[in-house]
Amino acid sequence: HDFGCGKGYLTFAVHDWLAGQGRRAEVTGVELRQPLVDLCNAAAERHQLGGLRFDAGDVRDYTPAGLDVMIALHACDIATDYAIHTGIRTGAAIIMCSPCCHKQIRPQLHSPGLLKPMLQYGVHLGQEAEMVTDSLRALLLEACGYDTKVFEFVSLEHTNKNKMILAVKRAEAGNPAELLSKIQAIKDFYGIREHCLETLLKADTLLPA
């Protein structure tokens, strides 16, 4: 499933790549805007691309019947958290997302006085918010039983939104207590009151309260 697929460029590319590998995969793009869903479905039908379809849905409440791989490319701000949450609660084997915008955490940050001279420059504050937001996402995925990596996946000459969070489900979830302690310590250090993904996971009792 590709959440927030827009015009489906990535969705079509994933379907084509899987077909080229000899795999008969069911690929679904999920998009809020119905005109884009209709456009993509028409293109898939016109080119007779079996196993590819597009659904109209909101990432906040879309519930797929089954999901093996969840991908989300530049789902804005907390839409990334909702996409990750969907992947976790449906037991996706692989979760891949390239986040963009980090609006929820930035206004919450209360960095120690020692860092204020650095963070008086807006660009640095934005980079800090991005690092903290995505680090917490990665740690929360780890706490939910995923081996997680964060890395750059495309050259900066193409886009500055080049960060990828890749999570692969482990056979055994393990004990998240230590990770949850580290997450709380980071939140305390920066004065973060709420991280959207953590809130969603706790509401579904996917993390200890």
Side-chain angles (χ1 to χ4, degrees), residues 1-3 64-72 82-97 141-142 144-148 165-173 201 206:
H1 281 67
D2 178 10
F3 285 94
L67 193 158
D68 297 313
V69 179
M70 189 289 295
I71 59 177
Y82 277 96
I84 294 172
H85 171 247
T86 299
I88 292 172
R89 67 182 168 85
T90 55
I94 298 173
I95 294 173
M96 299 176 65
C97 61
L141 279 160
E142 291 275 0
C144 289
Y146 287 81
D147 290 321
T148 307
I165 300 174
L166 171 62
V168 179
K169 193 169 183 62
R170 294 193 296 267
E172 297 182 5
L201 293 171
L206 296 170

Side-chain angles (χ1 to χ4, degrees), residues 110-126:
H110 294 289
S111 300
L114 179 65
L115 301 181
K116 287 184 178 179
M118 293 193 304
L119 301 177
Q120 66 179 309
Y121 308 106
V123 64
H124 289 163
L125 183 60

Side-chain angles (χ1 to χ4, degrees), residues 19-159:
Q21 302 297 309
R23 297 178 180 272
R24 298 185 61 184
E26 295 292 327
V27 179
T28 303
V30 182
E31 168 59 40
L32 184 63
R33 294 162 288 184
Q34 186 66 55
L36 295 183
V37 173
D38 295 339
L39 176 71
C40 291
N41 275 324
E45 184 177 352
R46 185 167 61 251
H47 294 286
Q48 299 181 326
L49 300 177
L52 174 63
R53 77 170 195 274
F54 294 82
D55 290 345
D58 189 324
V59 67
R60 291 172 294 183
D61 54 26
Y62 181 87
T63 303
L67 193 158
D68 297 313
V69 179
M70 189 289 295
I71 59 177
L73 178 65
H74 302 158
C76 185
D77 194 30
I78 60 173
T80 292
D81 295 305
Y82 277 96
I84 294 172
H85 171 247
T86 299
I88 292 172
R89 67 182 168 85
T90 55
I94 298 173
I95 294 173
M96 299 176 65
C97 61
S98 176
C100 78
C101 312
H102 297 77
K103 299 175 184 178
Q104 187 207 16
I105 293 299
R106 181 166 176 162
Q108 298 184 54
L109 291 176
H110 294 289
S111 300
L114 179 65
L115 301 181
K116 287 184 178 179
M118 293 193 304
L119 301 177
Q120 66 179 309
Y121 308 106
V123 64
H124 289 163
L125 183 60
Q127 289 170 344
E128 181 191 43
E130 177 181 336
M131 179 187 69
V132 173
T133 301
D134 293 330
S135 294
L136 289 173
R137 284 168 173 159
L139 289 168
L140 286 164
L141 279 160
E142 291 275 0
C144 289
Y146 287 81
D147 290 321
T148 307
K149 298 178 181 179
V150 181
F151 57 93
E152 294 179 337
F153 72 104
V154 68
S155 172
L156 282 172
E157 68 181 282
H158 299 299
T159 177

